[in-house]
Amino acid sequence: LSGSDADSARRAAAAAAAAEVENGMVLGLGTGRTAALALHALAARIAREGLRVVGIPTSDRTAALARELGIALGDFAQHRSIDLTIDGADEVERGTLDLIKGLGGALLREKIVAAASRRLTIVVDEGKLSDRLGTLAPVPVEIVPFGHELVLDRLAGLGGAPVLRRGEAGAPFVTDGGHYIADCRFGPIGDAAGLDQRLAGLVGVVESGLFLGMAARVIVGSADGTRMLDR
Ligand code: A5P
């Protein structure tokens, strides 16, 4: 897919996700280009149909966009559970709908929101699909800045070939939560659940970008149209 084809495929898929929204829902608002397209589609439905919803954003960036689009925002103080979260992903394993997320840097809040959601709908273009997680994307791992050198050594010990993510000026990239991210290339991952546990067991690791068993539906945009993969 060329850039603009991929864009329109993503836009159609994002609109299909926004079509799942019902009046009165508490929504999790994802982060990234595709999630932004879904926000635009949602804002259009709000304007057209007078839909009343409240969104819990997964990043400061998404909160700002939602405000711009006139989507009401809430938080966990008011809402302990989310009806539906719409988000993007960096890689989707075809059979399981397991995900890698976090190339946009928002994985921690995305995972908190996903875990609080009764339903998680993911929107991707078909270039994000693989037969084995880890084939396309590195696994982003959010880590605490203090002692991050030690965590990078441990991640290397797990075979992740970690690279500390850096911002434009070359300084470490800092997440909304004030953490760093190590991008880990494990290659195709045979036992994602086992890896997830090993990562969670490392002191200094906050969360990994492995989202296992969380997505109920993946909406795939391609040049041939929009396809739904359901778990
Ligand atoms: C943000 O942290 C990520 O998990 C995004 O959901 C992911 O990077 C997808 O972004 P795009 O839709 O921009 O590819």
Side-chain angles (χ1 to χ4, degrees):
L1 286 185
S2 77
S4 68
D5 286 352
D7 260 15
S8 56
R10 262 202 300 268
R11 188 164 299 117
E20 288 189 12
V21 175
E22 292 168 18
N23 197 36
M25 276 187 164
V26 178
L27 300 173
L29 309 178
T31 294
R33 290 163 301 170
T34 320
L37 293 174
L39 277 194
H40 278 96
L42 174 63
R45 282 199 60 199
I46 290 172
R48 213 171 39 234
E49 302 166 36
L51 214 59
R52 280 177 314 101
V53 295
V54 54
I56 299 185
T58 53
S59 62
D60 295 343
R61 237 186 312 156
T62 291
L65 177 59
R67 273 190 212 102
E68 246 171 65
L69 294 172
I71 299 170
L73 295 180
D75 58 31
F76 287 115
Q78 304 148 322
H79 307 283
R80 288 293 194 277
S81 117
I82 294 174
D83 297 302
L84 167 68
T85 290
I86 300 173
D87 205 345
D90 301 303
E91 184 171 344
V92 176
E93 190 175 84
R94 275 195 188 83
T96 58
L97 304 190
D98 285 346
L99 316 170
I100 291 176
K101 287 179 53 53
L103 290 194
L107 71 98
L108 176 58
R109 291 189 190 179
E110 288 174 340
K111 207 160 182 176
I112 291 170
V113 165
S117 299
R118 288 173 34 220
R119 177 176 175 81
L120 174 62
T121 292
I122 293 293
V123 187
V124 294
D125 60 73
E126 62 180 348
K128 303 266 187 77
L129 297 181
S130 80
D131 291 322
R132 188 50 74 80
L133 218 55
T135 306
L136 302 173
V139 179
V141 180
E142 187 150 346
I143 62 180
V144 171
F146 181 83
H148 69 274
E149 297 88 348
L150 306 172
V151 181
L152 291 175
D153 288 350
R154 300 268 191 239
L155 292 169
L158 292 181
V163 174
L164 185 66
R165 192 180 299 179
R166 293 183 184 277
E168 270 156 38
F173 171 84
V174 178
T175 68
D176 285 349
H179 306 125
Y180 291 168
I181 290 184
D183 289 307
C184 297
R185 291 231 173 243
F186 292 98
I189 299 164
D191 175 16
L195 176 60
D196 196 30
Q197 273 182 11
R198 281 192 292 280
L199 293 172
L202 296 181
V203 174
V205 165
V206 183
E207 258 310 334
S208 89
L210 293 170
F211 284 53
L212 309 179
M214 295 183 109
R217 166 173 285 180
V218 175
I219 304 181
V220 185
S222 77
D224 313 327
T226 298
R227 236 175 343 128
M228 312 279 187
L229 307 177
D230 286 313
R231 190 167 58 86

